[in-house]
Amino acid sequence: MNFLDNYFKLSENGSNVRTEVLAGITTFLTMAYIIFVNPSILGDAGMPKDAVFVATCVAAAIGTLIMGLYANFPIGLAPGMGLNAYFAYGVVKGMGFPWEAALGAVFISGCCFLVVSLLRVREKIMNAIPASLRTAIPAGVGLFLALISLKNSGIVVSSPATFVTMGNLHEPAPILAIIGFLVIVALDRLKVTGALLIGIMTVTVLSFFFAGNTFNGVVSMPPSIEPTVFKLDIIGAISHGLLNVVLVFFLVELFDATGTLMGVAQRAGLMKDGKLPPTMNKALLADSGAIIAGSVMGTSSTTAFIESAAGVQAGGRTGLTAVTVAVLFLLALFIAPLAGVVPAYATAPALFFVACLMLRELAEINWSETTESIPAVITALVMPFTYSIANGLALGFISYAALKLLTGKHKEVSGMIWGIAGVFLFKTIYIAG
C-alpha cells in the first residue's frame, strides 16, 4: 500500500486505494458499452468482429495503462465513438479504402499526434481553431452517429422518393431499440452507473424472446486477434489518398481527446487557476501512443473517454483509477460469446444517446455572429447529409475562411486556419475535377 501511495501520490491528492479502485470500476462500467458497439461498427467495414472485440479490449487496456502508469491521470481510453463511425462508413465504405489501409491512416495520424504532443504544439493548434468550429465538430459527429443508429435499428430506411423515410415500427428490431433508448435515458437521469451497458444488455436479453436471437454462452477463452493485429497497410493508406483521411482523423482526435482531458481534469480539480496541470503533456503523450497501439492491434483511433468523469465523480484522482480500468478491460476478453450475440439494434440506442449528448455543444455557438454560426451549422449538417465527417470539416473550414474574407474580417482568421481551409479546398477541387 505504501508503494501505491508513493507511486500514484494518493495521499497528496486526497485519495486512497479503495476509493481509486471503486472509481475505476465506475469508469469501466460507463465505458464497457464500447466492447459491444465497436465490433458492430467496424464489422460493417468488413473487419472480423471477434478479432475486433479482442483488439478493442487490448487497445483500451494498453492506452489506459499508459495513462495511469505514465501520466498518473484518472482517465480511461478506448476506441472513440465517431472516429470508429468515420473509419467504417466514411473511409472504408464511403471512400473505398480497404480496412487495412484505413488502419494505416490511423497509424499515421497517431504518429502526427505524437509529434505535435512531443513538440508541445497541440495546445497552440487547439487555440488557433475558432471556438465555433470546435463546438460544431462534436455536434456534427453526433448527428452522424444519430443517423447511423437510426439506420441500424430499422427506424430509418432508404427511400427512392425521399432518400430516407420511417421504417416498419411493427418489427421487433425498432421496437426493442426504442425500449433500449428509453431505458438508457431513464437510468442515466436516475444516475445509475453503467446506464448504457444496462440498456444494451436489456435489449439483447429481450432479443432472445422476441427477435429469434440465439444464446452461445457467456465465458470462453478470448478469440484470436491474428486476423487484425499488424494488418495495417501504411503504403496502401498513402496510395489511396492519405492527406484528406489523415487530416480528418487528426482534427477529430485533436478536439475530442484534448477537450476530454481538459474537461475531466477540470472536474477532478487538477487544474489550478484555470491552467493545465504539469502532467497534462504526459497525458497527451499517452493519448497519442494509444492511437498508434490501437491501429497495430486492429481498431480505429483510441482516445480519452468523457465517461471517465463518472469515475472522477466517484473520487478517482490518480492513475490507479486508470490502472483499475485497464485490468477490467483485460478481464473482459473472456466474455467474447456474450459480445457476439449483441445485435446491431441493441447497440443503436447507446449510439443515439451518445449522439443526443454531443448535440448540446451547439448551445455554445455565438448565433448572433453569422460568420461564426453559419460555418458551424454547415459543418454539423453536412456530416450526416453527405454521410461523411470529412465533407463536413472541409466545407466548414472553407466557408469560415471565405465568409471572414468577404466581410472584411480576414484578420480574425489565423494562418493555421487559412492553411487548413486551403488544403481542404485543394482536395475538394481535386476530387471534383
Side-chain angles (χ1 to χ4, degrees):
M1 292 298 179
N2 286 335
F3 168 75
L4 293 176
D5 190 19
N6 293 331
Y7 187 89
F8 293 106
K9 299 180 174 58
L10 299 178
S11 299
E12 184 179 321
N13 286 280
S15 188
N16 56 60
V17 173
R18 181 179 180 276
T19 299
E20 295 292 311
V21 171
L22 289 176
I25 294 172
T26 302
T27 293
F28 174 76
L29 289 175
T30 62
M31 291 177 61
Y33 69 90
I34 198 64
I35 297 173
F36 307 102
V37 176
N38 201 49
S40 175
I41 291 177
L42 298 190
D44 287 346
M47 298 185 70
K49 291 186 178 181
D50 284 346
V52 172
F53 165 78
V54 178
T56 300
C57 293
V58 173
I62 291 174
T64 307
L65 205 58
I66 296 172
M67 183 67 74
L69 295 177
Y70 176 63
N72 197 25
F73 247 52
I75 290 180
L77 293 91
M81 296 296 297
L83 288 162
N84 52 9
Y86 175 61
F87 180 102
Y89 305 109
V91 178
V92 177
K93 299 187 77 172
M95 300 182 189
F97 270 56
W99 60 262
E100 296 89 346
L103 286 177
V106 172
F107 178 85
I108 295 170
S109 73
C111 291
C112 295
F113 226 40
L114 186 61
V115 170
V116 299
S117 297
L118 285 170
L119 297 177
R120 296 178 178 268
V121 298
R122 193 163 164 182
E123 295 93 335
K124 294 180 181 178
I125 295 175
M126 279 294 291
N127 291 334
I129 306 297
S132 58
L133 294 184
R134 283 206 304 267
T135 56
I137 290 170
V141 172
L143 288 170
F144 189 41
L145 285 177
L147 180 59
I148 293 169
S149 65
L150 292 171
K151 172 179 172 289
N152 287 350
S153 62
I155 295 174
V156 166
V157 296
S158 62
S159 166
T162 60
F163 294 107
V164 293
T165 189
M166 182 77 78
N168 183 359
L169 298 187
H170 295 94
E171 293 183 353
I175 293 173
L176 292 178
I178 292 170
I179 292 172
F181 178 71
L182 295 176
V183 168
I184 288 172
V185 176
L187 291 177
D188 178 76
R189 184 65 184 85
L190 296 171
K191 301 188 184 304
V192 175
T193 299
L196 276 74
L197 183 61
I198 294 172
I200 291 172
M201 299 314 299
T202 299
V203 175
T204 301
V205 170
L206 292 175
S207 70
F208 297 125
F209 298 98
F210 302 105
N213 202 353
T214 55
F215 184 66
N216 297 315
V218 176
V219 179
S220 73
M221 292 301 293
S224 173
I225 196 176
E226 193 276 334
T228 59
V229 69
F230 294 115
K231 293 299 190 292
L232 68 167
D233 182 4
I234 298 174
I235 302 300
I238 296 172
S239 64
H240 277 78
L242 174 74
L243 183 61
N244 192 38
V245 174
V246 170
L247 184 60
V248 172
F249 273 131
F250 180 82
L251 288 174
V252 177
E253 289 161 357
L254 178 72
F255 302 135
D256 187 40
T258 307
T260 297
L261 289 171
M262 293 179 66
V264 175
Q266 178 73 37
R267 186 169 297 190
L270 299 174
M271 296 180 70
K272 307 299 181 184
D273 300 323
K275 295 181 180 179
L276 296 173
T279 55
M280 178 59 83
N281 200 59
K282 285 187 175 182
L284 297 177
L285 288 171
D287 182 59
S288 307
I291 297 172
I292 297 172
S295 65
V296 172
M297 292 295 106
T299 183
S300 54
S301 301
T302 303
T303 187
F305 261 52
I306 192 61
E307 285 83 354
S308 302
V312 168
Q313 190 70 31
R317 294 294 181 270
T318 75
L320 184 55
T321 294
V323 171
T324 303
V325 174
V327 171
L328 292 173
F329 267 114
L330 291 177
L331 292 176
L333 285 168
F334 298 92
I335 61 168
L338 183 60
V341 299
V342 177
Y345 57 81
T347 57
L351 284 179
F352 197 74
F353 180 71
V354 172
C356 291
L357 296 182
M358 295 176 82
L359 283 173
R360 61 187 173 190
E361 295 290 335
L362 290 173
E364 303 299 324
I365 295 173
N366 180 8
W367 293 99
S368 63
E369 175 52 71
T370 54
T371 61
E372 298 284 339
S373 60
I374 297 300
V377 172
I378 289 172
T379 301
L381 291 182
V382 169
M383 289 183 186
F385 287 135
T386 64
Y387 220 66
S388 169
I389 295 175
N391 290 340
L393 283 173
L395 295 185
F397 277 100
I398 293 170
S399 62
Y400 182 87
L403 287 174
K404 290 294 185 182
L405 180 63
L406 293 172
T407 56
K409 297 185 176 183
H410 56 277
K411 291 183 179 180
E412 296 179 10
V413 183
S414 68
M416 189 168 294
I417 297 301
W418 287 118
I420 294 174
V423 169
F424 275 131
L425 181 61
F426 171 78
K427 185 65 178 176
T428 303
I429 294 173
Y430 173 75
I431 292 175

